[in-house]
Amino acid sequence: MTNPLIQLTLLTMSRREKILAMLADDPTDTFLRYSLAMELRSEGSHDDSIAKLQELTKDATPYVPAFFMAAQQLADLDRVDEAREFLRDGIEQARSQGDSHAAAEMSELLASLGELGEL
C-alpha cells in the first residue's frame, strides 16, 4: 500500500519537479535529461532548454533528437544561423549513428531554413 502523503506529494508536483526528482536518482538518464529540456521549452525557458539539449549533443554518444529539437527551437526564436549549425552537426552525427531517418528530417529542416536566407 502506497503512503498517502507520498501520493499527495506526487499529485502536487509539477512535471518539471517530477523530472528533477527522478534525475536526482540518475543524473545520466538521457531520456529524463531530454524530457527536462522539453519541459523547459514548454515553460518558455528557451535558453535553459537549448543549453540542456546542447549538453545532450556533447555526450559520449550524442543524442541525435537533441540536435533537431535545439535547431527547431532556435529557428522558432529567429536564431537561424545557430539552428543551421545544430542541424549540420546533427546530420553528421545521425549518419555516423546509422539514423538515416533523423538525418533526412534534419536535412529537410535545414533546406527550409535556407529559404530564410543563407549567409
Side-chain angles (χ1 to χ4, degrees):
M1 188 165 180
T2 306
N3 181 330
L5 183 58
I6 292 173
Q7 286 181 327
L8 180 60
T9 301
L10 289 173
L11 288 174
T12 60
M13 290 174 75
S14 70
R15 276 190 299 216
R16 182 181 182 182
E17 290 169 329
K18 289 175 187 176
I19 294 167
L20 288 169
M22 289 184 281
L23 275 170
D25 291 335
D26 185 2
T28 63
D29 185 299
T30 300
F31 182 74
L32 288 174
R33 293 168 56 216
Y34 181 77
S35 297
L36 177 59
M38 294 297 90
E39 186 60 28
L40 290 166
R41 178 183 184 176
S42 71
E43 293 174 2
S45 298
H46 299 291
D47 288 337
D48 291 337
S49 174
I50 293 164
K52 296 291 181 194
L53 292 167
Q54 188 169 31
E55 288 173 12
L56 288 163
T57 68
K58 304 293 184 196
D59 283 354
T61 301
Y63 189 58
V64 171
F67 290 95
F68 182 79
M69 293 309 298
Q72 196 173 54
Q73 194 171 174
L74 287 162
D76 290 346
L77 296 168
D78 292 323
R79 293 164 59 181
V80 177
D81 290 336
E82 291 172 81
R84 287 185 184 116
E85 187 176 326
F86 269 98
L87 289 168
R88 289 183 184 114
D89 292 345
I91 291 165
E92 181 180 320
Q93 191 55 232
R95 287 180 178 151
S96 74
Q97 292 184 28
D99 190 343
S100 59
H101 178 76
E105 280 187 328
M106 287 187 274
S107 294
E108 286 177 26
L109 181 54
L110 182 59
S112 75
L113 293 179
E115 296 167 8
L116 297 176
E118 188 73 44
L119 293 180

